[in-house]
């Protein structure tokens, strides 16, 4: 008789979703997490970044309040106050997760887990070592930042998301590095928020296009937004060396200098499997733990979910995978559905996409219809004070299937949520084109783009 | 009840067909089985027959191209009119209809102008009523608002969309393009909703592929050393059998059956029905026994849809037929309601049609359980692979002479082994064995199958 039906290793979005799902399906569940609950999402990336990008957007709005005819506002962004607010909100959210776990009678065990054998883990925690057995396991240990080594720059000058938002002031001048294995493009958010906070920012991405997942015109719009915020955007450049006050970038042929007292690397993350002793469990893992659509590893009773499995390395995907893993660990038969996972970057204005870009869709050999709507003619966008923006709809020409939507502009989050829901429900582009929207609203831009795709 | 005369799907890649020639003029009488029109596709011409008697009403002129599954005409019983709401089929060229219909013109679609009041037009447009099918009672036969309201009140006999399974818009459109009946597709989405993937899976299945196989040229046994491409029927079998084993937890149970009585009964029936040209096979006896046993063991007549096991009310039994180029599993529909004689007639028809490449899509889809026989090749026991989305398949082995004992006297007996493969996700060993026992009991006392 095992101690628990399911033991979950890791307390981030994948881990707590797995624990809650397994408990909801009748399993007795323990969750092992050495740090504060919430994982990187709550404590270091999504939530802290979101509080900052929101603070930044509010600051920019405030700067323009006199334009709206309200008041005249100050120019200064108070970084330390934003940090304090972020710390309060993060603690609140982490405590909320603890409450949700307790309500589901999930036992939270502080400590680090490693496998002793396929049915047992050893836990090293504050209360001393212990070992526990379970019928099934869910590994959700997430990812770790792996800041690049840049010769000539001191290690403390190379920052990751968890460290940059703990600083007393925005680092300036700063070099923000994009790219990374999952190409999550969070570097764009950091470039925007640092620039908005008054820092001199250079953004360097290794690819020719700012975000490889996006079509050229949308990526170009995003680059323009960042330039408007004062960010120096360098596409196709990677760092080679620094001297403490600047970093040399190369594109393979030429070299340029970027002033940088700090380097911010937020997208350089690797799945975290160290210390788990996966060999003892029989789980094979190279640089990540590979799983199928049911989130099962090569060992049938051991599941994995979230960043540790590689792939998208996004919190939304992690929570979804966690739920599937939790259901299956409790004996269910669920499978993941990540094709319609929306992406949303809180740059100013926002940048969002779901599904395939036109280039990707065409590369698969599909006949596509494409429609674009210019948001500078959208009344809601105009009322919000936006000067530019773009919605692009990509659909299968024969079937009318919505293959992808990309948005650059204010309210991109609103538009992409609608698009993702429609794609998940398998609504056709014709249906979308015939939809009724509130006027004035950003969603009108989506419907307009769909209509244009029909010609 | 009005019968729609559709554009049938004749091959995997067929998406549209042309009404090349009306064999029955508009308003002409037709009998069951008479040719209504000649369908022209890229590859072949095909005679489309009437499924019932009545008066033919054309919806399109000759030479019109229509998507697969669209109605080209209706067959009406005496006194019957076109079902309310039936629109003339939209030509393929306008497969993407305009988003907003212009009031007053939406119903016309290239036809002669119909005399109707503006309010009647608008109302008809709003309610999706085709003014062609509304009788005018106004001056000079002009259609009035009251006429449209009366037409709207009339029961919508356009049955084709009645009680459609829940399906996503994309799944509906794909099914329409591929000519797949959504009632026969297993939904795996939330609440059993049919998704695009489900329709694609159904399209890859034998239901729709078989007509395509018609086009496959007959091959003689290939010489040793030759390479056989995993394409066409071979490719589909490879894909489906492999995915079946990948997806399901398959377990095979064997059970021996004393066949003395069944052998005797079949011998008698063969003689008795010889004049009518009906020759019952042992497989027919097994099909009949299975159909009866399934009524009391519904767990074996099921499919897995999403997180649920759905017990199916209809019993349609697939019977595997070996061909040179592969294998087809035509379906004996409503096998539970058919007496043995009709099962024998039907399996003979299906086997002949399969070998002639003349099976229709209906003959190949919707099986809820399958029977496969290798006894004629001397196989005693085997492990059949389940044909998705079924949860079980029964293999029929060779009937062999064995020595049994009656008291202390050795006697010669006829014995056969049944091989039942089940999907352990849906059925456990004990209930499967109980079902197998029920089949055995029926075969050992076969008179019970005649009632």
């Amino acid at each position: 008789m095992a101690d628990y039906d399911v033991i979950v290793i890791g307390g981030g979005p994948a881990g707590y979703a797995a624990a809650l799902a397994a408990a909801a399906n009748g399993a007795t569940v323990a969750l092992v997490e050495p740090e504060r609950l919430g994982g990187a999402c709550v404590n270091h990336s999504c939530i802290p970044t979101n509080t900052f990008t929101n603070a930044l957007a509010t600051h920019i709005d405030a700067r323009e309040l006199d334009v709206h005819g309200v008041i005249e506002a100050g120019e200064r962004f108070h970084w330390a106050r934003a940090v304090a607010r972020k710390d309060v909100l993060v603690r609140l959210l982490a405590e909320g997760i603890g409450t949700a776990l307790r309500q589901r009678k999930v036992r939270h065990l502080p400590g680090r887990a490693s496998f002793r054998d396929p049915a047992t883990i050893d836990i090293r925690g504050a209360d001393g070592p212990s070992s526990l057995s379970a019928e099934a396991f869910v590994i959700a240990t997430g990812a770790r930042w792996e800041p690049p080594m840049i010769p000539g720059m001191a290690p403390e000058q190379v920052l990751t998301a968890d460290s940059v938002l703990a600083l007393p002031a925005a680092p300036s001048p700063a070099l923000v590095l994009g790219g990374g294995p999952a190409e999550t493009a969070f570097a764009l958010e950091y470039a925007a928020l640092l620039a908005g906070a008054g820092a001199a920012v250079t953004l360097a991405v290794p690819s020719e296009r700012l975000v490889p997942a996006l079509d050229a015109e949308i990526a170009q719009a995003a680059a323009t937004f960042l330039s408007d915020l004062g960010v120096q955007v360098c596409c196709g450049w990677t760092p080679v060396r620094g001297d403490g006050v600047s970093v040399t970038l190369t594109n393979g042929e030429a070299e340029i200098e970027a002033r940088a007292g700090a380097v911010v690397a937020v997208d350089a993350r690797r799945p975290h499997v160290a210390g788990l002793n996966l060999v003892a469990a029989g789980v094979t893992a190279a640089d990540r733990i590979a799983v199928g659509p049911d989130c099962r590893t090569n060992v049938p009773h051991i599941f994995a979910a979230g960043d540790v499995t590689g792939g998208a390395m996004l919190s939304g995907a992690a929570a979804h995978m966690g739920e599937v893993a939790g259901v299956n660990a409790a004996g269910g038969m669920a499978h993941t559905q990540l094709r319609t996972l929306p992406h949303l970057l809180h740059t100013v204005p926002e940048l969002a996409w779901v599904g395939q870009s036109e280039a990707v869709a065409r590369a698969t050999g599909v006949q596509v219809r494409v429609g674009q709507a210019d948001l500078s003619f959208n009344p809601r966008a105009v009322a919000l004070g936006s000067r530019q923006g773009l919605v692009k709809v990509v659909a299968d020409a024969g079937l009318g299937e919505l293959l992808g939507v990309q948005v650059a502009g204010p309210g991109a989050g609103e538009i992409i949520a609608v698009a993702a829901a429609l794609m998940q429900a398998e609504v056709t582009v014709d249906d979308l084109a015939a939809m009724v929207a509130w006027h004035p609203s950003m969603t009108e831009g989506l419907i307009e783009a769909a209509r244009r795709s029909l010609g | 009840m009005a019968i729609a005369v559709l554009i049938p799907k004749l091959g995997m890649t067929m998406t549209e067909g042309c009404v090349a020639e009306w064999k029955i003029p508009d308003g002409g009488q037709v009998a069951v089985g008479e040719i209504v029109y000649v369908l022209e596709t890229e590859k072949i011409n095909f005679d489309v027959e009437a499924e019932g008697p009545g008066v033919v009403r054309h919806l399109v002129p000759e030479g019109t191209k229509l998507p697969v599954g669209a109605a080209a005409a209706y067959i009406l019983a005496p006194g019957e009119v076109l079902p309310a709401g039936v629109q003339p089929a939209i030509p393929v060229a306008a497969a993407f209809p305009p988003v907003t219909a212009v009031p007053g013109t939406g119903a016309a679609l290239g036809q002669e102008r119909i005399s109707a009041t503006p309010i009647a037009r608008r109302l008809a447009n709003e309610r999706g009523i085709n003014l062609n099918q509304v009788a005018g009672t106004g001056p000079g036969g002009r259609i009035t608002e009251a006429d449209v309201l009366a037409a709207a009140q009339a029961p919508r006999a356009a049955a084709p969309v009645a009680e459609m399974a829940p399906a996503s818009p994309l799944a509906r459109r794909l099914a329409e393009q591929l000519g797949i009946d959504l009632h026969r597709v297993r939904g795996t989405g939330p609440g059993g909703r049919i998704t695009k993937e489900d329709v694609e899976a159904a399209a890859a299945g034998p239901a729709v592929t078989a007509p395509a196989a018609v086009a496959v040229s007959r091959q003689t046994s290939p010489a040793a050393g030759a390479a056989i491409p995993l394409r066409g029927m071979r490719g589909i079998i490879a894909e489906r059998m492999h995915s079946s084993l990948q997806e399901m937890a398959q377990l095979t149970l064997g059970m021996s059956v004393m066949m003395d009585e069944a052998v005797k009964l079949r011998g008698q029936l063969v003689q008795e029905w010889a004049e009518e040209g009906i020759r019952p096979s042992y497989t027919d006896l097994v099909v009949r026994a299975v159909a009866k046993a399934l009524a009391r063991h519904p767990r074996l007549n099921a499919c897995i849809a999403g997180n649920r096991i759905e017990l199916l009310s209809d019993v349609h039994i697939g019977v595997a037929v070996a061909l040179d180029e592969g294998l087809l599993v035509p379906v004996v529909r409503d096998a539970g309601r058919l007496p043995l004689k009709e099962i024998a007639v039907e399996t003979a028809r299906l086997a002949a049609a399969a070998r002639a490449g003349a099976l229709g899509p209906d003959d190949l889809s919707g099986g809820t359980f399958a029977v496969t026989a290798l006894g004629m090749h001397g196989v005693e026991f085997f492990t059949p692979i389940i044909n998705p989305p079924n949860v079980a398949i029964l293999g029929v082995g060779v009937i062999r002479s064995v020595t049994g004992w009656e008291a202390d006297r050795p006697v010669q007996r006829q014995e056969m082994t049944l091989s039942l493969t089940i999907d352990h996700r849906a059925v456990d060993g004990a209930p499967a064995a109980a079902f197998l026992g029920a089949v055995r009991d029926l075969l050992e006392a076969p008179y019970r199958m005649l009632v």
Side-chain angles (χ1 to χ4, degrees):
Chain A
M1 185 72 189
D3 297 316
Y4 288 94
D5 293 333
V6 178
I7 291 180
V8 178
I9 304 170
Y16 67 73
L20 292 176
N25 281 274
T28 57
V29 184
L31 184 148
V32 188
E33 167 62 57
E35 295 168 25
R36 187 160 63 183
L37 290 170
C41 164
V42 169
N43 296 300
H44 305 305
S45 50
C46 315
I47 305 301
T49 312
N50 239 264
T51 65
F52 260 76
T53 51
N54 187 62
L56 167 70
T58 310
H59 170 63
I60 289 173
D61 284 348
R63 281 203 308 221
E64 295 180 355
L65 278 178
D66 56 340
V67 178
H68 288 254
V70 186
I71 53 164
E72 281 189 38
E75 284 288 310
R76 203 163 68 91
F77 180 80
H78 204 302
W79 179 274
R81 276 189 206 166
V83 170
R85 176 171 179 270
K86 179 261 298 180
D87 288 342
V88 169
L89 294 178
V90 163
R91 201 171 57 243
L92 271 177
L93 283 171
E95 283 166 4
I97 294 163
T99 306
L101 291 177
R102 274 195 300 282
Q103 280 173 347
R104 282 283 185 198
K105 303 205 182 332
V106 175
R107 181 89 190 278
H108 173 202
L109 306 168
R112 293 187 188 279
S114 65
F115 280 95
R116 167 178 292 192
D117 58 57
T120 319
I121 52 165
D122 291 323
I123 302 172
R124 285 164 291 117
D127 310 334
S130 62
S131 84
L132 287 172
S133 61
E135 300 287 341
F137 294 88
V138 178
I139 302 171
T141 45
R144 289 291 180 273
W145 278 280
E146 213 169 67
M149 292 295 296
I150 301 171
M153 296 298 277
E156 62 271 18
Q157 284 183 300
V158 183
L159 304 168
T160 52
D162 50 342
S163 52
V164 72
L165 295 186
L167 294 174
S172 180
L175 170 67
V176 180
L177 295 178
E183 294 192 333
T184 39
F186 291 124
L188 274 64
E189 286 189 334
Y190 277 76
L193 76 84
L194 291 176
V201 178
T202 305
L203 171 65
V205 296
S207 51
E208 284 301 320
R209 201 174 288 167
L210 187 54
V211 181
L214 297 177
D215 284 326
E217 59 272 36
I218 302 281
Q220 185 50 50
T224 307
F225 297 160
L226 290 169
S227 299
D228 288 351
L229 285 171
V231 176
Q232 181 83 32
V233 180
C234 305
C235 291
W237 296 86
T238 48
V240 277
R241 62 184 172 274
D243 58 11
V245 290
S246 68
V247 173
T248 304
L249 304 171
T250 178
N251 66 354
E253 292 165 3
E255 289 191 345
I256 53 170
E257 296 274 308
R259 288 202 305 129
V263 176
V264 180
V266 286
D267 291 321
R269 295 180 298 149
R270 297 252 170 235
H272 179 63
V273 293
L276 284 169
N277 196 19
L278 291 174
V279 175
V283 175
T284 51
D287 52 350
R288 66 187 186 106
I289 302 177
V291 291
D294 55 357
C295 291
R296 214 181 281 271
T297 67
N298 62 309
V299 181
H301 71 281
I302 301 180
F303 299 80
D307 291 357
V308 75
T309 63
M313 299 222 265
L314 298 168
S315 296
H320 176 67
M321 291 180 80
E323 187 166 354
V324 167
V327 167
N328 292 347
M333 284 193 295
H335 62 273
T336 53
Q337 213 278 70
L338 291 168
R339 195 179 59 85
T340 54
L341 179 77
H343 295 238
L344 173 58
L345 296 179
H346 290 281
T347 50
V348 180
E350 294 169 339
L351 190 61
W353 67 96
V354 60
Q356 296 174 329
S357 66
E358 181 186 356
V360 169
R362 285 198 193 279
T364 62
V366 176
Q367 288 276 339
V368 299
R369 291 163 173 270
V370 177
Q372 286 191 9
D374 187 340
L375 288 179
S376 49
F377 299 111
N378 176 288
R380 175 66 185 158
V382 170
L384 286 171
S386 166
R387 289 176 298 278
Q388 53 190 340
L390 201 59
V391 183
K392 182 169 179 178
V393 166
V394 182
D396 180 312
L399 195 56
E401 179 176 13
L402 285 167
L403 298 174
V405 174
Q406 301 166 65
V407 189
E414 175 196 332
I415 292 174
I416 217 65
V418 173
L422 294 179
M423 284 174 66
Q424 198 154 349
E426 296 191 344
V427 169
T428 66
V429 68
D430 311 67
D431 296 321
L432 170 55
M435 252 176 60
V436 185
W438 178 257
H439 178 78
S441 69
M442 302 307 303
T443 316
E444 288 176 303
L446 176 65
I447 296 168
E448 177 63 24
R451 287 204 180 131
R452 284 165 184 262
S453 79
L454 297 180
Chain B
M1 184 80 163
I3 302 166
V5 185
L6 307 176
I7 303 288
K9 186 170 180 66
L10 301 174
M12 267 297 270
T13 57
M14 176 175 165
T15 57
E16 59 178 59
C18 178
V19 180
E21 184 188 355
W22 286 112
K23 287 288 190 185
I24 308 285
D26 194 12
Q29 280 282 342
V30 71
V32 184
E34 251 187 287
I35 298 163
V36 182
Y37 73 93
V38 179
L39 172 76
E40 195 178 86
T41 72
E42 285 168 356
K43 294 181 183 126
I44 53 163
N45 287 353
F46 182 84
D47 294 336
V48 177
E49 298 173 354
E51 290 177 20
V55 174
V56 175
R57 284 295 305 276
H58 298 175
L59 298 181
V60 294
E62 276 185 5
T64 309
K65 276 190 180 175
L66 290 172
V68 161
Y74 267 84
I75 300 174
L76 305 177
E80 205 174 25
V81 292
L82 274 176
V86 166
Q87 301 275 349
I90 299 163
V92 167
F96 281 92
V99 178
T100 41
V102 181
T105 61
L109 267 178
Q111 263 134 45
E112 276 180 50
R113 190 157 174 87
I114 298 158
S115 174
T117 66
I119 292 175
R121 275 187 199 283
R122 189 182 309 147
L123 192 64
N125 200 41
E126 279 171 14
R127 306 265 176 111
I129 292 166
N130 184 355
L131 286 176
N132 282 313
Q133 272 97 52
V134 179
T137 61
R142 197 172 197 218
I143 298 167
T144 66
E145 184 186 1
D147 297 332
V148 176
L149 284 173
Q153 292 285 313
R156 295 214 164 191
V161 286
E163 286 181 52
M164 188 70 93
S168 79
L170 205 54
R172 277 171 205 274
R173 180 175 287 180
L174 184 64
E176 198 181 299
Q177 288 187 0
L178 297 176
I180 288 172
D181 181 357
L182 281 175
H183 293 93
R184 307 238 165 79
V185 178
R186 185 171 61 118
T188 63
R193 196 169 189 242
I194 298 169
T195 65
K196 177 191 168 210
E197 217 167 70
D198 297 333
V199 176
E200 284 171 344
V208 200
T209 53
V214 174
V216 173
S217 61
R218 294 290 148 129
Q219 298 164 338
T220 47
S221 296
I228 302 164
L230 277 181
R231 275 206 308 264
M233 188 187 286
R234 192 72 254 151
I236 288 155
I237 293 169
E239 200 274 318
R240 279 177 67 81
M241 291 298 101
H242 181 248
S243 77
S244 170
L245 283 180
Q246 292 274 305
E247 186 191 344
M248 301 188 201
Q250 300 198 8
L251 163 69
T252 304
L253 314 176
M255 192 177 277
S256 291
V257 182
M258 289 302 149
M259 289 294 283
D260 303 86
E261 294 302 313
V263 170
K264 214 180 292 171
L265 176 73
R266 176 179 171 267
Q268 287 164 1
L269 293 177
V270 165
Q271 285 193 355
E272 201 167 310
W273 296 343
E275 272 190 16
E276 301 165 75
I278 300 168
R279 189 179 165 84
S281 67
Y282 289 111
T283 305
D284 296 335
L285 289 175
V286 173
V287 168
R288 173 70 180 150
V290 163
K292 268 187 94 81
L294 281 178
R296 303 182 66 169
H297 296 83
R299 287 298 287 269
L300 281 292
N301 195 60
C303 66
I304 291 185
N307 288 337
R308 298 176 305 174
I309 299 162
E310 283 194 11
L311 307 185
L312 305 170
S313 48
D314 293 335
V315 175
H316 305 310
I317 297 183
V319 181
V321 176
L323 305 175
D324 289 342
E325 63 271 34
L327 160 91
L328 285 173
V329 188
V331 175
V332 180
R333 309 202 78 78
D334 284 314
R337 296 197 199 117
L338 294 183
L340 180 60
K341 194 172 182 177
E342 287 189 41
I343 288 176
V345 171
E346 182 68 357
T347 55
R349 177 186 77 80
L350 292 171
R355 292 190 183 106
L359 286 169
D362 254 8
D363 292 330
L364 283 152
S365 60
T368 61
F369 187 98
V371 171
T372 175
L374 285 176
M376 61 287 229
H377 302 297
V379 173
E380 289 185 14
F381 173 79
F382 58 113
T383 58
I385 297 176
I386 296 171
N387 196 22
N390 295 352
V391 298
I393 185 169
L394 184 68
V396 182
V398 66
I399 296 174
R400 56 199 188 274
S401 291
V402 296
T403 308
W405 294 90
E406 237 174 57
D408 54 359
R409 196 164 54 88
V411 291
Q412 194 186 23
R413 282 214 169 124
Q414 306 290 310
E415 194 181 66
M416 179 181 82
T417 302
L418 293 174
S419 314
L420 176 70
T421 299
I422 54 166
D423 183 353
H424 212 322
R425 297 178 306 166
V427 200
D428 294 325
F435 163 78
L436 203 45
V439 174
R440 176 198 57 200
D441 292 349
L442 284 165
L443 288 169
E444 290 190 348
Y447 64 90
R448 289 163 54 197
M449 288 195 281
L450 298 176
V451 292

